[in-house]
Amino acid sequence: MPLFGNSFSPKKTPPRKWASLSNLHLLDRSTREVELGLEYGTPTMNLAGQSLKFENGHWVSESGSFVGDRRELQRLRKRNQQLEEENNLLRLKVDILLDMLSETTAESHLMEKELEELKQYSRRKK
């Protein structure tokens, strides 16, 4: 037994009570949705004057008329393809120009080196 007693002896914590006394967690999903009001319905949005709803992983028009939109969509896809082809062509041209620039730079450095060697050679002869 220590002289001054045990200065640190924490008491044992009591066991915790169950967090929830509600039995809603025991119910199936549909009953919980009715009880708790979790039925939100399908997500909808209004975009550019057109009402769209989300069904089966896709946004669908609520009015069901996509005839004008399909033509516009087809035109935009064609324009997008043209722009992608133009972009690829421009990237190819930039690559060619960079290759030409590096080749010209390398030739320039070689010529400068040869010129410097010729200057040193002519100085030695004199």
Side-chain angles (χ1 to χ4, degrees):
M1 183 166 177
L3 182 61
F4 297 107
N6 194 357
S7 62
F8 183 73
S9 60
K11 294 182 180 179
K12 194 172 187 179
T13 57
R16 294 185 181 199
K17 294 181 180 178
W18 194 322
S20 173
L21 298 176
S22 171
N23 63 353
L24 288 176
H25 67 281
L26 300 174
L27 300 175
D28 63 313
R29 182 174 184 239
S30 60
T31 310
R32 271 187 295 186
E33 287 176 354
V34 171
E35 291 289 328
L36 299 175
L38 298 176
E39 182 60 43
Y40 298 117
T42 59
T44 59
M45 73 172 168
N46 194 0
L47 186 64
Q50 180 133 15
S51 183
L52 302 168
K53 62 183 176 180
F54 192 75
E55 288 183 352
N56 299 327
H58 298 286
W59 288 99
V60 180
S61 172
E62 286 186 347
S63 62
S65 64
F66 264 149
V67 177
D69 293 337
R70 284 187 182 158
R71 281 189 230 125
E72 179 70 15
L73 184 62
Q74 192 175 24
R75 185 187 68 77
L76 288 174
R77 283 184 179 157
K78 185 177 179 182
R79 179 69 176 145
N80 188 24
Q81 185 179 2
Q82 288 173 347
L83 290 173
E84 284 179 358
E85 289 173 0
E86 183 180 350
N87 193 16
N88 289 339
L89 179 66
L90 291 173
R91 284 183 180 167
L92 180 66
K93 287 182 177 182
V94 166
D95 286 343
I96 291 171
L97 286 173
L98 285 173
D99 288 344
M100 291 170 62
L101 178 65
S102 61
E103 184 180 345
T104 305
T105 304
E107 287 176 359
S108 171
H109 285 294
L110 284 174
M111 287 182 175
E112 285 178 3
K113 188 176 179 182
E114 286 180 17
L115 182 63
E116 195 63 36
E117 288 175 359
L118 287 174
K119 283 181 182 179
Q120 288 178 0
Y121 180 74
S122 68
R123 287 181 192 155
R124 288 182 199 159
K125 274 193 162 184
K126 290 183 180 180

